[in-house]
Every structure is written in C-alpha cells, then in structure tokens.
Amino acid sequence: KRLLNVALLNKNGFKIYKIAKMSSEEMVEKVSAISEVNFEYNTQLDALTISMIEMDEYKFDRIISTNIQQIGFERTVLEIIYPFLDKLSVLWLTGSVNPIQENFMSYLIRQKIISAIDNEPFSSGKNVKKFMIFLPEGENQELSLLLMHYLLKSRRNQVVYLGQNVSIQDLKDACNIHQPDFIFTMITETYTKQPVQRYVDRLSENFPETEVLLSGYQIMAQNVASKGNVTALGSLDEVIHFLDILRNRSSLRNIIH
C-alpha cells in the first residue's frame, strides 16, 4: 500500500525526498486530493487499487462519484472501472490481493451499476427493441452482464435480465413469454461445460426466429463465427459499436414515421 502511495505521488510531481519526509496520514491526504483533481487514467486506477487494499468504501465512493460528475457514468465504467477489473485479475493471479478484498470491491461496483440501471427510464413503443440477457450454466461473471444491462437500457432498449446459470430450457420458457428481438449472452474463461461452438449451435437451433448475440473471451479465443441468426461480438468495443448502429437505425425509423 505504501509503495502504491509513493508511486502515485511521484508520478504526480512530488520528489522522492519530500515523499520520504511525509507521515502516513499526510501521504494518504495528498493521494486523496490528487485522485479528485487528476483524471489521468493511471492515477485513477492506482487510487482505486489503494481503496481496495484498504477496503475503504468512502474513498472508493469519492473516486467513482467524482469521475461520474466529470465524465458521466458510461465513460467512468469504460475508462476507469473496466480497466480496473482487468488490473484486479492480474493482482489476483500474482497473489497481491485476497478474496475478501476482491469481493468487497466487486460488491461496491455492482451497487454502482445497479443504481445507474435503476436511474435509466423504461422504454416502450413499437420501434423499441427487446433484449433478453443471461449467462449460461457455469458462468458467473455477473458484473459484465450488469454492465451490458446498463448499456442496453441507456440506449433506450427494453431489457429482460435473467441472471446467471440459465439453462436453455429456462431460456426457452422466458422467450415464449417475452418474445425478444435479441438474445444476448457472454461466454468467458470460466465456461467449461461443453465446447463453445456446440453451445452456440444449440442456441441457434432452439431460437431460429431470434437474433443471438455473443460476446466474451471464449468467443474470440475459439473463433466463434457470425452465421445465420448468430452474431459474434468479440470485444466490448464491438458490442458498443453494434448497439450504437442499432440505436441510429431506430432513430431514423422514428423520424420517417
């Protein structure tokens, strides 16, 4: 923790000899002040990492709330929180953080995303697209799915959120009720129940009248191709690009009608 504080201060213009004379309290105070006024990418990631190591909810909330005020929620998630989660996975692999710290941070991030989802208005109308989103059996990357819920809802789509560990039969039952335009799921490195292509083929066969959208690490790693009613969106940038194109088409239809 002290090394992170020293590195952050040094990157922001403090000389090492001055940092060495600081008390722990003074160092923490300087770091907190920097994280509120310096929105440089690495500074924000370092500040979040310190708040996780200290398990300091107040510090986390101050960092995230300040960023939301300055650049908006979506940019905060895409430019700060999402890269932080990537950094967190590296820290986890190297043994730099323990499960309690990871769970603590994941819970706080989950709260922020759910709050943002609730603040978005419900969309309705004949040109509004309906998405059903879920994670297959064996998948538990809920934060990524919640982020997708926010991205969809903020672009004025209807979203039916089914959550984690959803079987194909349960998905069929839900589709019979809601008749969605799109089914969206994410398949990451934790998915091991069957080859990804086999699972994708099952989705395509069981939902021939619905567009199936796929994203996640395994979609890229196993070269799952877009074919028939299946569209593979390997990266988050591809997902956002697809959603923005869809939103622009809907806006054009509204103007025409």
Side-chain angles (χ1 to χ4, degrees), residues 53-157:
I53 292 172
E54 295 176 341
M55 297 182 69
D56 189 330
E57 182 174 353
Y58 174 73
K59 185 177 292 183
F60 166 85
D61 187 71
R62 189 165 57 179
I63 294 166
I64 296 302
S65 296
T66 303
N67 274 279
I68 291 172
Q69 289 172 4
Q70 294 291 327
I71 62 176
F73 182 78
E74 182 167 325
R75 282 187 60 192
T76 297
V77 170
L78 299 179
E79 298 176 19
I80 305 298
I81 293 179
Y82 222 80
F84 170 76
L85 292 174
D86 285 339
K87 183 176 182 179
L88 177 58
S89 66
V90 175
L91 292 172
W92 168 255
L93 289 172
T94 58
S96 302
V97 297
N98 60 45
I100 295 300
Q101 291 165 320
E102 182 185 22
N103 290 344
F104 172 81
M105 209 62 168
S106 296
Y107 172 73
L108 295 181
I109 294 171
R110 183 177 182 273
Q111 281 185 306
K112 290 292 184 185
I113 299 176
I114 290 175
S115 177
I117 291 169
D118 287 341
N119 286 333
E120 290 294 328
F122 182 82
S123 299
S124 60
K126 63 180 181 179
N127 289 327
V128 173
K129 297 298 183 183
K130 182 183 287 188
F131 285 74
M132 182 168 287
I133 66 176
F134 73 100
L135 293 178
E137 292 175 291
E139 276 285 1
N140 55 16
Q141 298 296 319
E142 187 191 23
L143 284 180
S144 296
L145 193 66
L146 286 171
L147 172 58
M148 184 53 52
H149 190 168
Y150 170 78
L151 293 174
L152 287 166
K153 197 175 179 185
S154 67
R155 285 161 174 76
R156 303 300 177 257
N157 298 293

